[in-house]
Amino acid sequence: MRYFEDFTVGETARFGSYQVDRDEVLDFARRYDPQPFHLSEEAAAQTHFGRLAASGWHSCAMMMAMLAARMEADEVASLGAAGIDELRWRTPVYPGDTLTCETEIVETRASRSRPEMGTARSRMTVRNQDGVAVLTFVAILLIATRPRAATTPSTGTDAG
Protein backbone atom coordinates (compact mmCIF):
# COMPACT_ATOMS: atom_id res chain seq x y z
CA MET A 1 0.00 0.00 0.00
CA ARG A 2 1.27 3.49 -0.86
CA TYR A 3 0.52 6.01 1.86
CA PHE A 4 0.90 9.79 1.98
CA GLU A 5 4.48 9.47 3.31
CA ASP A 6 5.46 7.52 0.17
CA PHE A 7 4.76 10.43 -2.20
CA THR A 8 7.60 12.86 -3.01
CA VAL A 9 7.66 16.17 -4.84
CA GLY A 10 9.04 15.67 -8.34
CA GLU A 11 7.85 12.07 -8.62
CA THR A 12 6.48 11.36 -12.11
CA ALA A 13 4.56 8.53 -13.72
CA ARG A 14 3.18 7.66 -17.15
CA PHE A 15 0.29 5.26 -17.41
CA GLY A 16 -2.92 4.23 -19.08
CA SER A 17 -4.19 3.70 -22.56
CA TYR A 18 -7.73 4.63 -23.53
CA GLN A 19 -9.10 4.13 -27.04
CA VAL A 20 -11.72 6.82 -27.76
CA ASP A 21 -14.76 5.12 -29.25
CA ARG A 22 -17.20 7.00 -31.52
CA ASP A 23 -20.30 5.36 -30.02
CA GLU A 24 -19.09 6.22 -26.51
CA VAL A 25 -18.51 9.85 -27.56
CA LEU A 26 -22.08 10.05 -28.91
CA ASP A 27 -23.61 8.29 -25.89
CA PHE A 28 -21.80 10.56 -23.40
CA ALA A 29 -22.84 13.65 -25.36
CA ARG A 30 -26.49 12.59 -25.55
CA ARG A 31 -26.57 12.04 -21.79
CA TYR A 32 -24.37 14.83 -20.41
CA ASP A 33 -23.25 17.40 -23.00
CA PRO A 34 -25.73 17.54 -25.88
CA GLN A 35 -24.04 20.22 -27.94
CA PRO A 36 -24.25 19.76 -31.74
CA PHE A 37 -20.49 19.32 -32.29
CA HIS A 38 -20.50 16.39 -29.85
CA LEU A 39 -23.57 14.80 -31.47
CA SER A 40 -23.15 15.17 -35.22
CA GLU A 41 -20.35 14.95 -37.77
CA GLU A 42 -22.21 17.49 -39.92
CA ALA A 43 -22.63 20.03 -37.13
CA ALA A 44 -19.03 19.54 -35.95
CA ALA A 45 -17.75 20.12 -39.50
CA GLN A 46 -19.15 23.67 -39.29
CA THR A 47 -17.07 24.50 -36.19
CA HIS A 48 -13.40 24.88 -35.30
CA PHE A 49 -13.45 21.15 -34.38
CA GLY A 50 -13.89 20.20 -38.02
CA ARG A 51 -15.29 16.81 -37.07
CA LEU A 52 -17.03 15.02 -34.22
CA ALA A 53 -15.22 15.80 -30.95
CA ALA A 54 -15.56 14.31 -27.48
CA SER A 55 -16.92 16.52 -24.72
CA GLY A 56 -14.24 17.94 -22.46
CA TRP A 57 -16.14 16.37 -19.56
CA HIS A 58 -15.97 13.03 -21.35
CA SER A 59 -12.21 13.54 -21.72
CA CYS A 60 -12.07 14.06 -17.94
CA ALA A 61 -14.08 10.86 -17.38
CA MET A 62 -11.75 8.86 -19.65
CA MET A 63 -8.76 10.23 -17.72
CA MET A 64 -10.44 9.27 -14.44
CA ALA A 65 -10.90 5.68 -15.65
CA MET A 66 -7.15 5.46 -16.33
CA LEU A 67 -6.26 7.15 -13.02
CA ALA A 68 -8.55 4.91 -10.94
CA ALA A 69 -7.05 1.80 -12.57
CA ARG A 70 -3.54 3.08 -11.83
CA MET A 71 -4.35 3.90 -8.21
CA GLU A 72 -5.86 0.44 -7.72
CA ALA A 73 -2.85 -1.27 -9.32
CA ASP A 74 -0.45 0.80 -7.18
CA GLU A 75 -2.61 0.24 -4.08
CA VAL A 76 -2.73 3.94 -3.23
CA ALA A 77 -4.43 4.70 0.10
CA SER A 78 -6.68 7.21 -1.66
CA LEU A 79 -9.36 9.08 0.24
CA GLY A 80 -10.63 10.89 -2.86
CA ALA A 81 -9.79 14.42 -3.86
CA ALA A 82 -10.44 17.93 -2.58
CA GLY A 83 -10.83 19.26 -6.11
CA ILE A 84 -8.91 20.32 -9.18
CA ASP A 85 -7.28 23.56 -10.24
CA GLU A 86 -6.28 24.96 -13.62
CA LEU A 87 -8.43 22.63 -15.76
CA ARG A 88 -7.69 23.23 -19.44
CA TRP A 89 -8.94 21.44 -22.53
CA ARG A 90 -5.90 22.01 -24.74
CA THR A 91 -6.92 20.38 -27.99
CA PRO A 92 -9.94 18.37 -29.13
CA VAL A 93 -10.25 14.66 -28.47
CA TYR A 94 -11.61 12.73 -31.43
CA PRO A 95 -13.00 9.22 -31.92
CA GLY A 96 -10.06 6.98 -32.78
CA ASP A 97 -7.61 8.82 -30.52
CA THR A 98 -5.67 6.86 -27.93
CA LEU A 99 -5.16 8.73 -24.67
CA THR A 100 -2.44 8.27 -22.05
CA CYS A 101 -1.67 10.05 -18.78
CA GLU A 102 1.36 11.68 -17.20
CA THR A 103 1.44 12.95 -13.64
CA GLU A 104 3.92 14.82 -11.48
CA ILE A 105 3.66 15.41 -7.74
CA VAL A 106 4.19 19.16 -7.28
CA GLU A 107 3.40 19.52 -3.57
CA THR A 108 2.72 17.40 -0.49
CA ARG A 109 1.26 18.69 2.76
CA ALA A 110 0.42 16.85 5.95
CA SER A 111 -2.93 17.83 7.42
CA ARG A 112 -2.67 19.70 10.71
CA SER A 113 -6.29 19.08 11.66
CA ARG A 114 -6.57 15.48 10.41
CA PRO A 115 -3.36 13.55 11.11
CA GLU A 116 -4.78 10.47 9.40
CA MET A 117 -4.38 12.13 5.99
CA GLY A 118 -2.36 14.46 3.82
CA THR A 119 -2.75 16.16 0.46
CA ALA A 120 -0.67 15.77 -2.66
CA ARG A 121 -1.03 18.20 -5.53
CA SER A 122 -0.49 16.38 -8.80
CA ARG A 123 -0.10 18.01 -12.23
CA MET A 124 -1.90 15.78 -14.74
CA THR A 125 -1.40 15.84 -18.50
CA VAL A 126 -3.47 13.69 -20.83
CA ARG A 127 -1.93 13.18 -24.28
CA ASN A 128 -3.20 11.73 -27.53
CA GLN A 129 -1.35 9.18 -29.67
CA ASP A 130 0.74 11.98 -31.24
CA GLY A 131 1.99 13.15 -27.85
CA VAL A 132 -0.14 16.30 -27.98
CA ALA A 133 -1.53 17.47 -24.62
CA VAL A 134 -5.32 17.38 -24.82
CA LEU A 135 -6.15 17.99 -21.14
CA THR A 136 -4.23 19.42 -18.17
CA PHE A 137 -5.11 20.16 -14.57
CA VAL A 138 -3.77 20.02 -11.03
CA ALA A 139 -5.49 17.50 -8.75
CA ILE A 140 -5.61 17.91 -4.98
CA LEU A 141 -5.44 14.30 -3.80
CA LEU A 142 -6.35 13.18 -0.30
CA ILE A 143 -4.18 10.26 0.83
CA ALA A 144 -4.24 8.32 4.09
CA THR A 145 -1.13 8.44 6.27
CA ARG A 146 0.61 5.24 7.27
CA PRO A 147 -1.20 3.62 10.22
CA ARG A 148 0.63 3.96 13.51
CA ALA A 149 1.34 0.93 15.68
CA ALA A 150 -1.22 0.55 18.45
CA THR A 151 -0.07 0.98 22.04
CA THR A 152 -1.54 -0.49 25.19
CA PRO A 153 -2.84 2.12 27.63
CA SER A 154 -1.22 0.57 30.73
CA THR A 155 2.37 0.18 29.48
CA GLY A 156 2.64 2.43 26.45
CA THR A 157 4.29 -0.43 24.55
CA ASP A 158 3.33 -1.88 21.21
CA ALA A 159 0.24 -4.05 21.47
CA GLY A 160 1.43 -6.63 19.11
Side-chain angles (χ1 to χ4, degrees):
M1 182 68 62
R2 285 192 77 201
Y3 294 99
F4 169 74
E5 296 85 352
D6 300 320
F7 288 81
T8 59
V9 172
E11 171 185 334
T12 62
R14 291 184 180 162
F15 58 91
S17 180
Y18 198 104
Q19 182 71 38
V20 182
D21 177 78
R22 183 180 188 278
D23 290 339
E24 187 179 329
V25 167
L26 293 169
D27 184 52
F28 187 96
R30 277 188 216 103
R31 295 181 72 189
Y32 304 111
D33 194 355
Q35 297 184 74
F37 42 82
H38 297 319
L39 294 168
S40 160
E41 292 282 357
E42 296 76 22
Q46 303 303 311
T47 70
H48 67 283
F49 294 115
R51 59 187 172 117
L52 185 69
S55 164
W57 297 114
H58 186 194
S59 298
C60 290
M62 291 182 276
M63 176 284 309
M64 192 65 217
M66 290 184 281
L67 180 60
R70 172 64 182 231
M71 290 174 66
E72 182 178 353
D74 282 357
E75 297 184 323
V76 173
S78 173
L79 299 172
I84 60 172
D85 291 333
E86 304 172 35
L87 173 63
R88 300 290 184 271
W89 292 297
R90 301 287 180 185
T91 202
V93 171
Y94 298 110
D97 282 353
T98 300
L99 305 179
T100 59
C101 297
E102 298 174 4
T103 187
E104 177 187 5
I105 302 297
V106 295
E107 178 185 48
T108 60
R109 185 177 307 188
S111 174
R112 286 182 246 149
S113 61
R114 301 199 54 196
E116 72 277 8
M117 70 183 339
T119 61
R121 292 175 59 86
S122 174
R123 184 174 318 284
M124 177 71 74
T125 303
V126 178
R127 296 186 184 279
N128 66 17
Q129 66 282 353
D130 298 321
V132 175
V134 299
L135 170 67
T136 59
F137 64 91
V138 175
I140 306 161
L141 308 172
L142 303 174
I143 306 167
T145 56
R146 190 173 313 286
R148 310 276 185 242
T151 58
T152 60
S154 60
T155 64
T157 61
D158 285 348

